[in-house]
Amino acid sequence: MTEENQKGREHPLSILAEEAYGIFSKLGFEIVIGPEIESDWYNFDVLNVPKDHPARDMQDTFWIKTLPDAFAQDFLLRNVNRSQKHTGSVVLRTHTTGVTAWAIEKAGKEGKLPCAFISIGKVFRNEATDVTHEMQFFQIDGMMVGENISLADLKGVLTHFYKKMLGNKVEIEFRPSFFPFTEPSIEVFAKWKGKWLEMMGAGMLHPSVLRNVGLDPKKYQGFAFGGGLDRIAMIKWGIPDVRLFYQGDLRLNQF
Amino acid sequence: MKISYNWLKWYVPEAPEAEKLADIFTYHVAEVESLEKLPNGDFVFDIKILPSRAHDLLSHHGVAREIASLLNITYKDPEPMYKVPNPTPTKLKIEIKTDKCRRYMGRIVRNIKVGPSPEWVVKHLESIEQRSINNIVDAANLTMFDCGQPVHCFDLDKIYLRTVLGNSKKDSPLLIIREAKEEEQMTTLDNKEVKLNSSDIVIADPDQVLAIAGVKGGKIAEVDMNTKNIIIEVANFDPTSVRKTAKSVSIFTDAVKRYENDLSPELCSFAMKEMTGLLVDVACPERPEEVKWEEIVDIYPQKQKEKKLSFSFDKISKVLGIPVSVEEIEDILKRYVFKYVYKDGIFEIEVPPMRQDLAIEEDMAEEIGRILGYKKIEPKIPKIDFKPRVSNTYAKIIWAREKLLAEGYSEVMTYTFADKGKVEVMESASDKKFLRTNLSDGLKESLKLNKLNSPLMSMDEIKIFEIGAVFKKDGEEINVAYNEKDKIIEKNLNEFCRDMPSNFKLEPRSYNLKTKFKMWSLFPFIARDVAVWVPEGVTSLEVMKVIKENVGELVIRDPELFDEFKKDGKVSYAFRIVFQSHERTLTDLEVNEVMNKITEKIKENKDWQVR
């Protein structure tokens, strides 16, 4: 009856993240991992979210009060190869979109275009928690840039992804939306058990974003998407409360 | 934004029925969050207007215009129906002393009568959950919800009194739009004391602040039941300035919501016309000749520039990934009443003043895409010439996780926020304002929790780990932590992965993804042990069977055999039984009853004894 030497059980979000990385890797995306503390440049400005703009209200941000000196130095060192434009304000990243944007910037500098990146990581929102809201959760974020990448490619990639994640019967639908970093912007819905569910935000990269990462929007275009991994887990397995993921309770590890 | 169906129908009489309209809106404009049928037969839509269209769609006119163009049906322009009274000369003076006010229109109206609004006004307002106050305030609100332009009214005589005391010329009221002085104060209409500073813009008479520009009116010049003479304000303010002031005084009104989204100053003249027309109907309908409509004073220092936008016909198809013809584009431009010229594959359009969201080629791709419908886009898998690199960090995380899983450790995730640490966040919805400096503290708690629950999970030993970011005084790093009995060991990921083979490759693993999650009970459990002596030859399964048959509904899992030994021709089997309910806290009493029953049943077997 002893379970010694038996394999341990993985956290459901790790399972999904590995699945998702696997799916996107097969489609030719490169995995990138970035820091959880991010400059306001990569979290906002580079993504065409100006200061004092209603768009900044779309996400409740945790701003960092002060960083210890050594931390700030380390942060600057890590950012030395990145854009010099950041103003010194730092945040807990509200999405992993900044990570993929930085990857595109680097690929552009190295002449590695077209390119595609996928990043899954912990993000933070300063809001009251309930069964569907948590101050920390996982986001999956991808971008692809090339000369002819279109909304049809985005639809193809996401349809493939959700069919793999939720089963072949899943249908995908685009609805109009708004994000400062995409134009056109769309909301991605998936039909799951007869109901349309909001899955992620997406769209074609806004030319300002392309310019901000050093690309010529006359020549290049691309798509970006981002959404919660926790949400996929909740839908897929019927997990009733997002807060269960972070309780450290092993009863969660059922898969 | 709440939109009344009956109200909309004034402008788009051919609109389809409410439910169909809600669908059309969701797929082509913005999400309809709810559609509610009102007792009076009207429907009210709650539409999540997108920030990019908030400058024109936070209004019934805007929504009606959008529907008319989208569905190619008639838009009934109400403007020709507004009554235009004959104006009399005015001595109203308006001075704009800041570049944050892009336009200010004022009009004095004398001898009006404050009273209740007519029924249709009350109905309109109530349909979108607005309270009727009086005919003057209602007319201003109605104008805003109708055309999107905020309107404010001052009681002229209250301003007048102040200017007399302040030694201003008695017969020429003066409104000044200026920066507030440091620490300048105002009491709002809803009696809130507000302290202002020089980055806030105010409307003032020569003595005192009358209103915070674009945010809220002041008590001092409030229209009340005795008001006879008013100044109508229809103005346009800098969106960023309004937004900053609203934030700093924590007042978020319907006016703020509109101004911060960059209204067109061109809208002012329309709104003044509508407000005047409404007042003609509601402000003194029985003796209209007594009401004096003074001339409109219109100060418009920053005239909205006419904008042109060029886009190539190619680009639209290239962005959307579907072929779109010149004819389709022309049809859309005509329906949306955009003036345009088309030459050599390039469209040049005159951007209507109310559609300032259209600035670049990609905006037109979105406009055309959403109007045609994104359903038209056929999915396609892109093939690109790109050689992805392997992420070292990710490879290490996977290696570390696999190593620990193989050693029997299970993975947990705990909170990044902590009571103490080196990095602090500014404001937080939680009482934990620091970021964790280690994983150990969280893991310790997790260990405690899982140990308590171990009878529920039939685990002899709790073995857990976490991999995650920590925030130390010298930077952010990824750590790995796991327990050895009660001891927590925590290492930096790189250090943990020192023995990782250089040829480690990421292999996709397969999981049983079909399993359905089973929620556990949030109520406490009770664990009981029972040990039974039976003659040699009786298997544990036979004993288990008796227990299972009599244990009832309240057990959370199969009894667990945790001990077994032989002595003098007899065998002892010890079982652990765990009771837990999904609905309530169990009592010792009811568990004792079940245990007694099991004991009785066991004793019914020959030579079986409960120890």
Side-chain angles (χ1 to χ4, degrees):
Chain A
M1 291 302 302
T2 152
E3 303 203 1
E4 246 170 16
N5 297 328
Q6 232 190 33
K7 231 182 143 214
R9 285 189 151 185
E10 199 168 345
H11 194 281
L13 292 178
S14 294
I15 295 177
L16 274 200
E18 286 181 34
E19 272 287 304
Y21 273 142
I23 295 166
F24 283 108
S25 295
K26 275 193 190 148
L27 289 174
F29 284 74
E30 178 175 320
I31 295 168
V32 271
I33 293 188
E36 290 175 14
I37 286 190
E38 187 61 280
S39 66
D40 64 346
W41 171 260
Y42 277 104
N43 198 72
F44 291 123
D45 301 60
V46 85
L47 300 172
N48 198 32
V49 186
K51 286 183 178 59
D52 294 312
H53 192 274
R56 282 213 179 181
D57 286 351
M58 288 172 79
Q59 299 170 347
D60 297 302
T61 309
F62 282 111
W63 294 87
I64 301 296
K65 210 173 194 172
T66 47
L67 288 178
D69 288 346
F71 196 117
Q73 269 172 15
D74 176 70
F75 185 80
L76 281 178
L77 259 174
R78 286 176 199 230
N79 279 279
V80 88
N81 290 320
R82 302 168 98 188
S83 175
Q84 301 298 306
K85 292 177 211 163
H86 94 82
T87 58
S89 287
V90 282
V91 300
L92 273 175
R93 63 181 178 192
T94 56
H95 44 209
T96 41
T97 319
V99 180
T100 41
W102 152 234
I104 297 273
E105 180 174 338
K106 207 168 143 224
K109 279 183 189 150
E110 293 169 353
K112 283 189 76 181
L113 292 168
C115 61
F117 295 96
I118 184 84
S119 185
I120 302 177
K122 201 184 279 173
V123 300
F124 303 87
R125 301 278 168 93
N126 189 4
E127 57 188 11
T129 62
D130 59 32
V131 293
T132 54
H133 295 90
E134 180 51 285
M135 287 192 284
Q136 66 180 50
F137 58 95
F138 279 77
Q139 201 193 2
I140 174 161
D141 197 288
M143 284 188 192
M144 181 181 279
V145 172
E147 289 181 23
N148 287 300
I149 302 299
S150 73
L151 274 184
D153 297 313
L154 172 66
K155 205 174 196 178
V157 165
L158 292 181
T159 303
H160 177 78
F161 172 65
Y162 283 110
K163 279 188 190 297
K164 289 273 176 200
M165 287 308 255
L166 297 173
N168 252 325
K169 282 187 203 145
V170 166
E171 290 171 54
I172 293 296
E173 187 171 273
F174 284 0
R175 299 185 189 174
S177 191
F178 170 82
F179 304 101
F181 32 97
T182 47
E183 191 71 45
S185 297
I186 52 120
E187 203 73 45
V188 183
F189 281 73
K191 197 175 189 181
W192 168 255
K193 296 186 174 165
K195 260 175 88 181
W196 286 107
L197 302 171
E198 200 175 325
M199 298 306 297
M200 51 169 59
M204 295 295 289
L205 281 168
H206 194 285
S208 302
V209 176
L210 291 169
R211 263 191 297 274
N212 286 340
V213 298
L215 299 182
D216 177 6
K218 287 262 170 271
K219 189 168 177 207
Y220 293 105
Q221 59 184 45
F223 63 68
F225 59 83
L229 191 71
D230 306 43
R231 188 170 161 71
I232 301 177
M234 289 168 79
I235 291 168
K236 181 177 182 60
W237 285 312
I239 296 174
D241 190 330
V242 64
R243 293 167 294 192
L244 295 174
F245 291 121
Y246 309 101
Q247 304 298 322
D249 192 327
L250 282 178
R251 287 177 292 179
L252 179 74
N253 300 22
Q254 300 178 7
F255 312 102
Chain B
M1 162 87 188
K2 297 249 197 276
I3 293 283
S4 146
Y5 181 68
N6 284 350
W7 189 339
L8 268 188
K9 277 232 169 186
W10 282 23
Y11 312 122
V12 272
E14 299 159 30
E17 56 187 84
E19 269 152 42
K20 202 171 160 210
L21 194 57
D23 242 24
I24 291 170
F25 227 75
T26 292
Y27 283 103
H28 297 277
V29 188
E31 189 192 349
V32 174
E33 291 189 300
S34 67
L35 171 63
E36 195 193 331
K37 191 171 181 178
L38 301 180
N40 65 7
D42 192 6
F43 289 88
V44 59
F45 305 89
D46 194 357
I47 309 177
K48 203 172 157 191
I49 299 298
L50 300 169
S52 51
R53 291 296 298 277
H55 56 255
D56 76 313
L57 290 186
L58 288 176
S59 70
H60 282 76
H61 284 173
V63 171
R65 270 195 308 267
E66 178 60 45
I67 291 167
S69 300
L70 190 61
L71 303 177
N72 207 9
I73 57 177
T74 313
Y75 176 68
K76 241 173 93 183
D77 187 355
E79 195 175 343
M81 296 185 304
Y82 297 142
K83 289 176 185 146
V84 185
N86 284 329
T88 59
T90 191
K91 285 189 172 160
L92 172 65
K93 284 216 160 40
I94 295 168
E95 282 173 20
I96 299 180
K97 292 184 166 169
T98 164
D99 61 356
K100 303 285 187 293
C101 177
R102 305 192 288 202
R103 187 175 189 179
Y104 200 99
M105 296 177 88
R107 160 173 248 172
I108 291 176
V109 188
R110 294 180 192 271
N111 300 329
I112 52 142
K113 193 162 171 260
V114 177
S117 285
E119 206 192 323
W120 74 266
V121 172
V122 178
K123 252 191 178 164
H124 263 32
L125 288 174
E126 280 176 353
S127 69
I128 55 164
E129 287 169 25
Q130 294 294 316
R131 198 164 46 93
S132 165
I133 296 166
N134 61 50
N135 52 355
I136 310 299
V137 177
D138 288 359
N141 281 334
L142 198 76
T143 303
M144 177 174 72
F145 291 112
D146 205 29
C147 76
Q149 168 67 49
V151 175
H152 188 69
C153 294
F154 300 105
D155 184 325
L156 173 65
D157 300 305
K158 291 177 182 168
I159 297 172
Y160 202 56
L161 277 175
R162 295 228 36 105
T163 47
V164 171
L165 290 174
N167 258 340
S168 296
K169 276 188 187 152
K170 198 177 169 183
D171 54 350
S172 96
L174 172 63
L175 290 183
I176 306 158
I177 298 93
R178 59 164 170 84
E179 287 168 5
K181 295 165 194 152
E182 288 299 327
E183 309 255 310
E184 197 163 21
Q185 293 192 22
M186 191 195 86
T187 307
T188 65
L189 281 169
D190 50 357
N191 297 313
K192 195 177 156 188
E193 295 289 336
V194 191
K195 207 175 260 178
L196 302 161
N197 64 55
S198 60
S199 64
D200 303 317
I201 305 302
V202 295
I203 320 300
D205 64 19
D207 293 331
Q208 183 149 349
V209 177
L210 304 173
I212 309 169
V215 179
K216 189 86 187 171
K219 193 83 188 166
I220 191 106
E222 181 182 18
V223 171
D224 62 32
M225 291 317 281
N226 303 315
T227 298
K228 289 206 169 48
N229 307 314
I230 59 168
I231 305 178
I232 306 171
E233 167 201 283
V234 182
N236 187 289
F237 304 105
D238 177 76
T240 308
S241 161
V242 170
R243 181 178 150 76
K244 273 188 174 165
T245 297
K247 271 192 150 179
S248 85
V249 297
S250 290
I251 299 177
F252 302 95
T253 52
D254 286 308
V256 170
K257 208 168 145 199
R258 285 164 179 78
Y259 281 125
E260 73 171 8
N261 282 293
D262 203 358
L263 289 175
S264 163
E266 290 296 303
L267 185 58
C268 290
S269 17
F270 180 95
M272 182 56 97
K273 215 178 249 176
E274 174 167 10
M275 177 67 182
T276 304
L278 268 171
L279 284 182
V280 172
D281 283 337
V282 305
C284 196
E286 61 274 17
R287 299 186 312 282
E289 67 288 349
E290 284 179 18
V291 183
K292 293 279 171 289
W293 305 89
E294 296 189 4
E295 279 164 348
I296 298 163
V297 180
D298 182 4
I299 314 289
Y300 192 2
Q302 294 176 53
K303 193 149 170 46
Q304 188 175 340
K305 288 187 190 81
E306 280 176 18
K307 264 195 350 193
K308 290 201 167 153
L309 163 55
S310 295
F311 63 96
S312 80
F313 142 74
D314 278 355
K315 180 79 178 176
I316 305 301
S317 302
K318 210 178 146 194
V319 168
L320 298 177
I322 40 165
V324 184
S325 68
V326 173
E327 291 71 34
E328 278 175 294
I329 296 175
E330 287 196 294
D331 174 52
I332 287 170
L333 296 178
K334 281 176 193 151
R335 270 151 56 192
Y336 279 77
V337 212
F338 292 169
K339 286 184 189 144
Y340 71 95
V341 279
Y342 176 65
K343 214 179 129 195
D344 304 331
I346 306 282
F347 283 94
E348 190 186 65
I349 63 164
E350 283 175 32
V351 180
M354 295 295 286
R355 289 302 307 275
Q356 293 306 300
D357 55 305
L358 302 175
I360 54 173
E361 224 172 12
E362 288 76 3
D363 293 329
M364 288 312 295
E366 173 169 272
E367 189 71 358
I368 291 160
R370 71 162 181 96
I371 293 165
L372 291 174
Y374 294 122
K375 272 190 181 154
K376 289 213 165 71
I377 297 174
E378 288 297 328
K380 125 179 184 262
I381 300 277
K383 297 259 178 295
I384 59 168
D385 177 23
F386 172 60
K387 286 179 190 55
R389 270 178 294 220
V390 173
S391 159
N392 280 331
T393 310
Y394 183 64
K396 281 179 184 165
I397 290 172
I398 294 298
W399 186 80
R401 187 184 287 144
E402 282 186 355
K403 182 175 155 73
L404 286 159
L405 287 169
E407 289 171 10
Y409 285 94
S410 288
E411 187 182 21
V412 296
M413 292 186 188
T414 63
Y415 283 100
T416 296
F417 294 98
D419 289 331
K420 51 189 194 319
K422 301 291 175 200
V423 180
E424 190 180 356
V425 294
M426 263 192 243
E427 274 166 43
S428 174
S430 141
D431 51 348
K432 294 186 169 156
K433 293 200 166 31
F434 291 90
L435 306 185
R436 62 184 178 189
T437 56
N438 62 60
L439 303 175
S440 299
D441 293 345
L443 209 64
K444 239 177 251 165
E445 290 303 312
S446 167
L447 190 61
K448 219 195 276 172
L449 170 76
N450 288 307
K451 271 190 172 172
L452 281 174
N453 285 337
S454 63
L456 289 170
M457 300 183 288
S458 53
M459 283 186 179
D460 297 337
E461 192 194 344
I462 301 295
K463 293 172 86 175
I464 52 173
F465 74 96
E466 177 167 11
I467 303 173
V470 297
F471 306 84
K472 297 183 168 175
K473 70 171 193 305
D474 54 355
E476 175 180 343
E477 60 182 70
I478 299 176
N479 277 8
V480 181
Y482 57 96
N483 69 310
E484 272 176 9
K485 304 276 178 206
D486 285 337
K487 207 171 108 197
I488 309 279
I489 296 156
E490 179 162 356
K491 287 177 185 165
N492 176 277
L493 179 67
N494 296 326
E495 193 191 326
F496 186 89
C497 294
R498 207 170 274 162
D499 303 328
M500 178 172 146
S502 55
N503 61 351
F504 175 71
K505 267 188 86 177
L506 294 172
E507 300 286 355
R509 269 181 290 160
S510 55
Y511 300 92
N512 178 14
L513 292 174
K514 291 243 153 54
T515 327
K516 181 122 181 82
F517 179 76
K518 250 175 90 185
M519 187 55 204
W520 54 85
S521 164
L522 299 171
F523 294 97
F525 65 90
I526 297 176
R528 289 293 166 85
D529 296 345
V530 60
V532 188
W533 281 116
V534 290
E536 219 171 314
V538 176
T539 67
S540 64
L541 284 177
E542 290 171 66
V543 184
M544 171 96 85
K545 192 167 169 255
V546 178
I547 296 174
K548 274 172 85 172
E549 278 167 7
N550 295 287
V551 80
E553 309 269 280
L554 298 174
V555 283
I556 206 75
R557 60 182 181 84
D558 277 352
E560 178 199 347
L561 177 68
F562 69 93
D563 191 33
E564 175 181 345
F565 65 90
K566 285 179 192 168
K567 198 179 168 190
D568 307 331
K570 287 194 285 184
V571 195
S572 163
Y573 296 118
F575 293 91
R576 176 157 298 157
I577 308 172
V578 184
F579 297 89
Q580 193 179 35
S581 157
H582 275 268
E583 281 96 37
R584 61 198 167 86
T585 300
L586 297 179
T587 64
D588 273 332
L589 209 66
E590 59 192 323
V591 171
N592 288 347
E593 258 174 53
V594 179
M595 292 307 291
N596 288 340
K597 191 178 161 203
I598 291 170
T599 308
E600 291 308 312
K601 288 289 173 187
I602 286 171
K603 281 183 182 164
E604 281 174 17
N605 293 280
K606 194 168 173 280
D607 296 333
W608 289 25
Q609 285 172 313
V610 174
R611 278 172 40 204

